[in-house]
Amino acid sequence: MTNPPMRAAIVPVTPLQQNCTILWCTATMKAAIVDPGGDIDKVQAALTHHGLTAEKILLTHGHIDHAGEAKPLAEALGVPIEGPHEADRFWLARLDEDGRNYGIRGVVFEPDRWLVEGDTVSIGDLNLDVYETPGHTPGHVIFHHAPSKFAQVGDVLFQGSIGRTDFPLGNHKQLIESIVTKLWPLGDDTSFIPGHGGASTFAHERQHNMFVSDRALAA
């Protein structure tokens, strides 16, 4: 079997067991760390274990369990932070406050690059497409690698569930719209890693997810 162009490793971080995900280009062994919310020593150990060179940090959104330790990790590795969309400035500005509330370290920062729909982010020789997917937070984005039929969806969609919308600036109608108009068109055969829990496919969720299955949405 040929080596796939991209590989992924999940490092659960923070007491909220958030899926910090390391994505890497197998040709160059260059990596991006997606949503390093905490436990950055574990993240760095995983990079070493897989023999990877970190190139950047990518953020799907600004919640504490996804972004709390992005800045310290970026400084430790000497890499830039890309994402989320600027509409999540509200969340990034209160990381220290939210960190105190959750007992997690939160370091306020601004990313080196805000992302918008149509942008691409590079990892080694790979290019991933950026889609704006508001609802869970207003500035949430996802990353899609079409050749691998893979998406990193943060807290938009989970195996069997969807992102919460009861936090400040959450919007349930907007979240459903993001799933239907941004995720589903990427194809049923797309595998995804969510911000919490196990991986799944869009086909599986369209059939079985009680919130956004085709049957549930048609009701």
Side-chain angles (χ1 to χ4, degrees):
M1 187 177 158
T2 55
N3 203 21
M6 186 180 76
R7 294 193 65 191
I10 296 171
V11 183
V13 297
T14 81
L16 301 171
Q17 290 295 285
Q18 194 276 122
N19 288 336
C20 173
T21 305
I22 301 171
L23 301 176
W24 69 92
C25 166
T26 55
T28 62
M29 298 304 277
K30 297 277 182 67
I33 300 122
V34 185
D35 293 352
D39 298 322
I40 56 177
D41 52 334
K42 282 171 61 177
V43 177
Q44 288 174 286
L47 289 168
T48 304
H49 172 75
H50 292 288
L52 304 172
T53 303
E55 197 172 43
K56 64 188 60 176
I57 289 169
L58 300 174
L59 295 180
T60 61
H61 65 293
H63 280 165
I64 181 68
D65 53 326
H66 293 255
E69 289 198 313
K71 181 65 171 173
L73 184 60
E75 288 173 347
L77 297 173
V79 299
I81 300 172
E82 300 184 10
H85 182 279
E86 196 171 358
D88 265 17
R89 186 188 287 271
F90 164 84
W91 285 107
L92 297 180
R94 51 180 277 172
L95 284 171
D96 53 350
E97 179 190 336
D98 286 340
R100 283 192 297 273
N101 292 338
Y102 282 95
I104 307 169
R105 180 162 73 140
V107 180
V108 172
F109 69 94
E110 279 208 9
D112 298 276
R113 176 190 179 199
W114 297 105
L115 296 174
V116 297
E117 181 132 351
D119 281 346
T120 59
V121 293
S122 63
I123 307 171
D125 295 340
L126 309 176
N127 288 303
L128 281 69
D129 297 309
V130 176
Y131 293 87
E132 292 175 26
T133 51
H136 179 65
T137 68
H140 200 298
V141 297
I142 66 156
F143 304 103
H144 179 238
H145 188 241
S148 299
K149 297 181 178 178
F150 169 82
Q152 174 75 33
V153 303
D155 284 359
V156 174
L157 179 69
F158 303 115
Q159 188 186 89
S161 189
I162 59 174
R164 289 175 60 171
T165 53
D166 57 336
F167 293 119
L169 308 182
N171 185 313
H172 181 78
K173 182 171 178 289
Q174 208 173 36
L175 181 73
I176 301 298
E177 195 172 298
S178 289
I179 293 168
V180 172
T181 65
K182 302 294 178 68
L183 271 54
W184 292 169
L186 300 179
D188 281 0
D189 55 355
T190 300
S191 300
F192 70 92
I193 293 177
H196 303 264
S200 184
T201 66
F202 291 161
H204 182 85
E205 300 312 310
R206 289 188 71 163
Q207 196 171 353
H208 300 289
N209 192 303
M210 64 184 286
F211 298 96
V212 287
S213 68
D214 293 352
R215 194 167 56 251
L217 294 177

